[in-house]
Amino acid sequence: MLPAVVMACWHITTASSASANSLTDTGNGAILPATARGPSTRPPYGETYFHHPSGRASDGRLIIDFIVEALRVPEPTPYLAGETAVDFRHGANFAVGGATALDPAFLESRGVEASTVSASLRNETSWFRDTLQLLAGSSAHEQRKVVASSLFYFGEIGVNDYFYALFSNGGTVDLANDLVPHIISVVRSALIAVIAAGARTVVVTGMLPLGCEPQLLALFPGGADDYDPASGCITRFNEVAELHNRELNLMLRNLGRARPGVSVLYADIYRPIADAVASPAKYGHHLR
């Protein structure tokens, strides 16, 4: 059976690891001091499935919950909720709601206001290394055994970076687009770190259709030409996500070719979300 871990932009399944932001976070954001009293720690969050706030920025389950269910493995422990190796025997989740791929200092240097960033991919990668040390000690052989038997799931890394860029004073699509190569680069570095540690199976999630985000739709109303006629989403923001996904796919293909024996897989969430937004009735949601 696979171990399971999730990192803030990724996830480990016994040792499976994953990391990401609030779309993957199952509890770290509710514990991290900077975000511990956030909205997701109070109802109505969690009321649909867990019937109480569960540490998830949702009233129900996240993608990672369905993956764990499909693999028939236990839920990985949020990194900040564990203390001993026993706590992480079924994996670790390093995702933090609001986390960015890039460090706040770098974002600030590019003109992006990032003073409220709670964590970055660098923090999550460091947590992964700490957890691996806890699980396998200082033995390189034991560490590689743990990592090789794990599934690594990287969530939609970078979504918060793009949000910060678009919400910054004077933020533009050009500013968000300028971040794409830097985000892809740090994702590649994190992937290389887990592969170097012995990972054999890594799943990397692409970017969601940013222009379909309710918050962006509410804050950036535009003219008729700004919206996709099929979905009603903001076209120019979706184009940022599409650029990200093209560059991510290219990087993953190159990385996979350079690492024979390692499965580096791309998980598309752009199309399913865009389809659901365009045709809600098809997926069981009926507008009233």
Side-chain angles (χ1 to χ4, degrees), residues 157-232:
I157 304 171
V159 62
N160 288 316
D161 302 68
Y162 297 131
F163 281 172
Y164 278 111
L166 294 171
F167 290 143
S168 289
N169 291 330
T172 64
V173 167
D174 287 342
L175 182 57
N177 281 334
D178 287 345
L179 295 180
V180 173
H182 303 288
I183 291 172
I184 299 303
S185 178
V186 297
V187 173
R188 182 178 184 277
S189 295
L191 287 168
I192 289 175
V194 299
I195 291 172
R200 294 179 181 174
T201 305
V202 184
V203 179
V204 184
T205 304
M207 188 54 53
L208 52 84
L210 297 171
C212 299
E213 280 290 304
Q215 187 176 13
L216 293 179
L217 284 164
L219 293 176
F220 294 94
D225 292 341
D226 293 320
Y227 301 99
D228 174 64
S231 65

Side-chain angles (χ1 to χ4, degrees), residues 4-6 11-14 16 26 64 68 73-79 87-88 90-93:
V5 177
V6 185
H11 181 150
I12 301 179
T13 326
T14 344
S16 170
T26 56
I64 191 62
V68 166
V73 297
E75 285 275 354
T77 302
Y79 172 77
D87 296 325
F88 299 113
H90 296 306
N93 185 333

Side-chain angles (χ1 to χ4, degrees), residues 52-105:
H52 60 82
S54 65
R56 294 160 176 78
S58 171
D59 69 340
R61 291 181 287 177
L62 306 178
I63 292 175
I64 191 62
D65 296 309
F66 292 98
I67 292 174
V68 166
E69 181 180 61
L71 292 176
R72 298 182 180 180
V73 297
E75 285 275 354
T77 302
Y79 172 77
L80 295 177
E83 296 181 357
T84 68
V86 173
D87 296 325
F88 299 113
R89 66 189 183 280
H90 296 306
N93 185 333
F94 308 110
V96 178
T100 54
L102 300 166
D103 290 339

